[in-house]
Every structure is written in structure tokens, then in C-alpha cells.
Amino acid sequence: MSGPGLHRWEVNMASDQSAQSAVKVTVYGRTGSPPCYAIRDFLYRNDVPFEWVELRTDEEARAIGLHGPNDERLPVCVFPDGTRMERPTIRVLTEKLGWFRDPSLSEYDLAIYGAGPAGLSAAVYGASEGLKTVVVERWAIGGQAGSSPKIENYLGFPKGISGAELAERAREQACRFGAEILIAREGVRGEFTAGKRIGYLADGTKVTSRAAICATGVDYHRLEVPNEERLRSAGVYYGAGAGEASLCVGHHVVVVGGGNSAAQATMHFSRYSPHVTLVVRGSSLKSSVSAYLIDRIQSASNVEVLTQTEVVALEGDELLEAVIVRNVQTGEHRRIETHWVFVCIGGAPRTEWAVEAGVARDEAGYLLTGPDLSGNGQPPKPWPLDRPPYFLETNIPGLFAAGDVRHGSVKRCASAVGEGAMAVTFVHRYLSGG
Ligand SMILES: Cc1cc2nc3c(=O)[nH]c(=O)nc-3n(C[C@H](O)[C@H](O)[C@H](O)COP(=O)(O)OP(=O)(O)OC[C@H]3O[C@@H](n4cnc5c(N)ncnc54)[C@H](O)[C@@H]3O)c2cc1C
């Protein structure tokens, strides 16, 4: 199946357990191809050990029965049992990995939407406290945290832990307590009737529960510059790209953003890339980045920080070729040749479904809960119960919000985990009629 001299990367897996286990999937493809990136990202974020084989010439492609590196059948995935899949969908992959499942119960006590830190924490507490619990996750376990190369401020991990490893440990813990996790399934609509919270998934599957927690976090902001959509996943990536770093050896990498996640990503790429440019719109990193990260950035000889600078254009047809940045003070433009840009400029919640379902949001789309539902300490209107909403309860009784999706949340892992746990306490109170 494989020819000599192919460009292979055994992708560093997040958890020790996966790093020690044999490669499960070999993925053949072309760097800069969006479908290839989607599969690499999905496997990395879900902690599936895999090998990435980049096809650069017709000869290399012919060795696996294809015409060339642009063959439309790419990516090709080959499993240890010999199964070969050409351009598989994520659904087909989850089926092959044995992860695809429909809800096993007609009704759960608790349905959780989102398997980031908040959702996973809620799953651990819910399932361990005897609630029949299901988690619905659109993409991969871990959410934003799963894309973090190293979380260093999470309690109990003095040397830091990769977000994907933290997520994998939480997944295992939740499953041990009996939580059911539906991966690569997206909640798209909610219906709330007396005592029932019904979630409809994108494929039409219905999940019925007595209480629900929305822990869907935020989605990365876009740069909002020309060509961005076309070059998305073809040189322009969102988040810290922990799984891509080993492919950046020898390449100039550009990271955009002035917060901790951009700083973390910069330091991570600096271990692989000869030159990392961090593009920051503000005048310094001081107000937005932890001191320990600033120290590391300043002492890294291959890292350049461009402050008061913004990305104004992206160049490239099928693959990103260059980024144009502009100094906002001087107006000076600079062209940086690169195939790798990672955008870490924060995010916004995707809660459009809430409008139809009558769930109260703030102007930016974050879900309102508890005291935030009414400024004057009175219950929101309409509100059908005698008691006021619990702290993490939305204006729909029995529907809670936890983590980054919630109005006023602190955008940190520990806070999301704390809110997930706290939401379960309120779920118990709600279910016991309180
Ligand atoms: C690169 C990076 C590095 C970071 N580093 C740190 C750090 O070092 N320390 C720290 O404290 N914080 C860090 N953060 C912030 C931290 O990761 C977030 O605050 C935290 O992940 C929020 O957790 P959450 O569960 O609320 O949401 P998220 O992590 O955003 O998870 C939400 C999940 O919901 C899923 N989802 C969305 N919509 C749907 C839907 N309709 N149906 C089903 N599922 C859905 C998403 O796919 C996602 O998996 C970092 C963030 C980033 C991006």
C-alpha cells in the first residue's frame, strides 16, 4: 500500500494512552486540502492514533491506486484490518470506529449539548449521581479546550496538560459512570413542553429528556477579510491547531490574536517552526496575556511579535500563499509568505436555535440565566413557576446553561468545569420538584 520515501507523520497524540497504542488509521492526502484537514482534526481531537501520509507526486499517489495528489478520491483512510475508505464522511468514520450510536433510551433524566469542559463536567456529575445522562457533541470531545496544546492553569496539573488529554480523561470518567456520548451529532432545534426537553439533531434524531444543559460554548471569530472562506482549512485555521504543529516543521507560521490562546499557540508552534509571527492588534500583550507566557514569548528567539497590526488580506488560490498585515498606526503594509495561519481571536456563541425555542439571550447571543434574566430581582416574564429561576437556569424551567455559552461566564476551563458541576445540582432540585 505504501511506497518508499513517502512523507509520513505519526501524529503526536494527546493522551499517553493513545500515544502508546498502535496507529489505528493511516490517512493519505494533500496538505492544504480542507477535507484532509477535517479528518486529521477529527481524529486528533478525538484522540484516535493515526499516521498522516502526504502525497506530493503522481508516483506517490499511484502507489495507492490514485492518479495524483489532486485526485478527488482523497483523503484515503486505511484501517489496520485493511478497510480502505475514499473521501469518507465523518459519519462513515465514526461508524467504522464503532462510535456511531443512536440514543439508547427513549427518555433521559438529563441531556447535555456540547462536550467541552462544561458539558463533560456535567456528564461526570450527572451520571455519577444516578441521572440517566446523554451528551450530544457536534464535532469532537473537548471543545475549545481540546484544541489547546497545553493548559497550565488548571488545578492539579502543575506541569500543565494538553486540552485533548484533559478531555479524553473526562470522557473516560463520564463513560465509566454510565454517561452516553453521541459524537459528531449536532443539536439544531429544541422543543420544551411541560416536563420534557426535546432536542432535534441535524440528522432528525430526537433526544428526549426531563432536564437539559446547554454547554455549547463559542465558535471562533473570523478575520472577516477577503478570500477567508475559500482558504478556510486550506492554510487558514481557527484555534490553536495543536494537532497540526508537527506538520509545520520548516515552515513560517503566523498566529493571529492577543490573548492567552494565541500566546499558547505561538509557543507551541515555536517548538516546530523556524519562525513564528504573532500578529496582535493591541499595543502590547501585557493586559491580555498571562505573565509567564509573555516571558516565554520574549525569550523565544524564533518568535516575532507584531503589535498594533492587523491582517487585511489573504492570498492564494487553492492554498494560502501569503498574509498581508497592516500596522494600524503607520498604515505600513507587509506581506508574509506562509501556508499556515492560525486565528485565535476569541469567539461568539451560536445560539440561533434559541430564538425559535423562546430562550432568552443577550445582544451577542449568550444565554441569559438566573439573576441576569431580570434586572430588578423579579422573575422573568413569562415565568410559570412560583420560585425564581436557579442561578444557571434559563427562562425555560429545567433548561440550564453552563460554560462559555452563558452570559457573564468567565472564559476559562476551570470555570466551565465548575458551572457544569453546579448546573447538575440545580438539575436535581428541578427534577425533585423544587
Ligand atoms: C486555544 C485555546 C486555548 C485555551 N487555553 C486555556 C487555558 O490554558 N486555560 C483556561 O482556563 N482556558 C483556556 N481556554 C478557554 C477554555 O478552553 C474555554 O473557556 C472552555 O473550553 C469553555 O468550555 P465550554 O465547555 O463552555 O465550551 P467549549 O469548550 O467551547 O465546548 C463547547 C462544545 O459544544 C459543541 N457544540 C457547539 N454547538 C453544538 C450543538 N449545536 N450541538 C452539539 N454540540 C455543540 C462544540 O463542538 C464544543 O465541543 C482556551 C481556549 C482556546 C480556544
Side-chain angles (χ1 to χ4, degrees):
M1 182 54 76
S2 59
L6 288 177
H7 307 280
R8 295 173 173 279
W9 283 263
E10 206 160 297
V11 175
N12 296 328
M13 294 315 298
S15 73
D16 292 344
Q17 198 183 330
S18 289
Q20 285 157 16
S21 50
V23 166
K24 265 195 186 156
V25 193
T26 303
V27 184
Y28 295 86
R30 189 169 45 87
T31 303
S33 142
C36 294
Y37 169 70
I39 285 184
R40 283 200 309 271
D41 186 53
F42 181 78
L43 294 176
Y44 179 84
R45 301 272 290 270
N46 282 299
D47 215 20
V48 179
F50 70 99
E51 184 184 37
W52 163 246
V53 183
E54 189 187 342
L55 302 176
R56 295 184 183 172
T57 64
D58 287 356
E59 192 193 351
E60 288 172 359
R62 278 198 293 270
I64 62 158
L66 302 173
H67 302 312
N70 291 323
D71 195 307
E72 295 213 331
R73 287 170 287 176
L74 286 168
V76 168
C77 296
V78 179
F79 289 78
D81 65 3
T83 305
R84 172 187 166 118
M85 292 179 171
E86 296 178 350
R87 216 180 164 100
T89 59
I90 295 298
R91 163 79 178 254
V92 167
L93 264 187
T94 55
E95 282 171 2
K96 175 64 189 165
L97 290 165
W99 293 347
F100 188 83
R101 56 198 294 187
D102 278 320
S104 68
L105 301 179
S106 56
E107 182 175 300
Y108 295 85
D109 296 322
L110 173 61
I112 299 162
Y113 294 85
L120 287 169
S121 157
V124 167
Y125 285 92
S128 68
E129 291 167 9
L131 298 177
K132 290 179 195 128
T133 302
V134 64
V135 184
V136 176
E137 166 53 48
R138 182 182 58 180
W139 186 243
I141 298 290
Q144 295 167 72
S147 78
S148 169
K150 204 177 226 189
I151 296 174
E152 299 199 55
N153 56 1
Y154 191 69
L155 193 72
F157 294 91
K159 293 183 183 151
I161 180 167
S162 85
E165 178 165 8
L166 187 66
E168 171 50 26
R169 286 172 179 233
R171 184 203 61 78
E172 189 185 343
Q173 204 172 5
C175 290
R176 275 195 189 183
F177 284 124
E180 213 169 277
I181 303 187
L182 313 181
I183 290 182
R185 310 289 284 276
E186 180 176 13
V188 291
R189 196 162 68 81
E191 228 173 65
F192 309 112
T193 57
K196 288 207 195 311
R197 319 274 151 259
I198 301 171
Y200 291 91
L201 311 191
D203 62 6
T205 303
K206 197 167 132 182
V207 177
T208 305
S209 59
R210 296 164 63 212
I213 298 175
C214 177
T216 49
V218 295
D219 252 16
Y220 301 115
H221 279 312
R222 302 278 179 263
L223 290 168
E224 307 294 347
V225 295
N227 300 332
E228 186 173 7
E229 203 43 45
R230 179 160 48 78
L231 295 170
R232 182 178 177 187
S233 305
V236 180
Y237 306 93
Y238 299 89
E244 296 294 286
S246 55
L247 310 187
C248 295
V249 174
H251 296 266
H252 188 160
V253 171
V254 175
V255 178
V256 187
N260 275 328
S261 55
Q264 251 181 34
T266 300
M267 287 316 300
H268 188 58
F269 285 116
S270 73
R271 291 169 44 207
Y272 299 86
S273 155
H275 189 175
V276 184
T277 302
L278 175 60
V279 177
V280 184
R281 190 180 270 158
S283 56
S284 88
L285 293 174
K286 271 194 191 137
S287 58
S288 49
V289 174
S290 304
Y292 76 93
L293 280 169
I294 295 181
D295 290 346
R296 286 183 207 167
I297 285 177
Q298 283 171 345
S299 49
S301 58
N302 59 342
V303 172
E304 157 194 46
V305 181
L306 302 180
T307 53
Q308 298 196 301
T309 303
E310 60 184 12
V311 173
V312 290
L314 301 166
E315 289 181 4
D317 292 328
E318 288 190 357
L319 176 66
L320 177 76
E321 300 293 348
V323 179
I324 312 295
V325 297
R326 183 177 72 100
N327 184 299
V328 292
Q329 272 221 314
T330 63
E332 190 187 331
H333 285 67
R334 177 172 152 195
R335 184 174 187 275
I336 304 171
E337 285 188 13
T338 181
H339 298 314
W340 302 94
V341 169
F342 294 87
V343 182
C344 301
I345 53 173
R350 269 186 47 198
T351 52
E352 293 78 9
W353 59 270
V355 178
E356 187 196 346
V359 181
R361 311 186 302 165
D362 68 12
E363 279 176 6
Y366 291 94
L367 301 187
L368 292 165
T369 57
D372 294 325
L373 284 161
S374 57
N376 56 7
Q378 298 300 309
K381 289 193 174 69
W383 172 255
L385 306 180
D386 292 336
R387 64 163 176 83
Y390 294 124
F391 182 58
L392 299 178
E393 195 169 28
T394 66
N395 62 319
I396 306 287
L399 173 67
F400 299 83
D404 281 12
V405 74
R406 194 179 67 80
H407 169 87
S409 59
V410 178
K411 308 287 182 283
R412 291 218 189 287
C413 254
S415 321
V417 167
E419 289 196 7
M422 206 197 302
V424 170
T425 304
F426 295 125
V427 166
H428 282 297
R429 285 191 203 162
Y430 168 78
L431 291 179
S432 62

